[in-house]
Amino acid sequence: MRHMSFSLTTPQMLARTKTVTRRLGWANLQPGTLLQAVEKSQGLGKGGKVRKLGMIRVVSVRREQLSRLVGTVYGREEAAREGFPDLDGLGFACLFVQKMGILFEDLVTRIEFEHVEGPTP
């Protein structure tokens, strides 16, 4: 089963408050796909083990400009669904731009998902 990393939002995934994620890739992901959410899947070091956070099912996938989040009610709602209820759309977009090294005008993949079972030890 394919893994999807949530290293920056592990607490939100464990609390099941995160239901949307944005990625630079994953454009060919299909609704209905089951994924194993993990804390980190690459760069674990020798003997490192993947920490499973739970199973998720993809609900929808679409490409959109990150700038769509700026100055809109949609942006505030999406920031909360991304696991950052204290940020507005601009705040979340800035965080994403900083972490990913992209521009506000760049297309990203918005992935909506549902949690299908609890964290796996």
Side-chain angles (χ1 to χ4, degrees):
M1 177 168 295
R2 195 167 178 192
H3 289 176
M4 182 177 273
S5 265
F6 292 91
S7 61
L8 297 176
T9 54
T10 296
Q12 294 93 322
M13 287 299 291
L14 291 172
R16 294 178 150 206
T17 58
K18 182 176 178 75
T19 58
V20 170
T21 190
R22 284 176 169 73
R23 305 292 166 127
L24 299 183
W26 298 81
N28 294 323
L29 192 60
Q30 296 296 311
T33 302
L34 286 173
L35 299 168
Q36 177 66 62
V38 298
E39 182 174 19
K40 186 177 179 180
S41 61
Q42 296 182 348
L44 294 173
K46 188 173 182 176
K49 298 202 186 259
V50 172
R51 178 180 176 206
K52 296 177 181 179
L53 304 176
M55 298 290 293
I56 59 174
R57 179 179 297 115
V58 176
V59 173
S60 68
V61 181
R62 69 174 180 250
R63 303 274 289 162
E64 64 183 29
Q65 286 184 315
L66 198 56
S67 61
R68 182 170 181 215
L69 302 175
V70 178
T72 64
V73 171
Y74 172 73
R76 182 171 292 284
E77 291 169 350
E78 287 293 285
R81 295 187 73 191
E82 284 271 7
F84 299 95
D86 296 334
L87 295 179
D88 61 9
L90 175 61
F92 175 76
C94 286
L95 178 68
F96 196 90
V97 164
Q98 179 185 17
K99 293 289 184 190
M100 304 308 288
I102 65 169
L103 303 173
F104 286 105
E105 297 77 26
D106 289 343
L107 284 175
V108 297
T109 306
R110 179 195 182 269
I111 302 166
E112 182 178 352
F113 59 88
E114 61 187 358
H115 297 266
V116 294
E117 66 180 54
T120 306

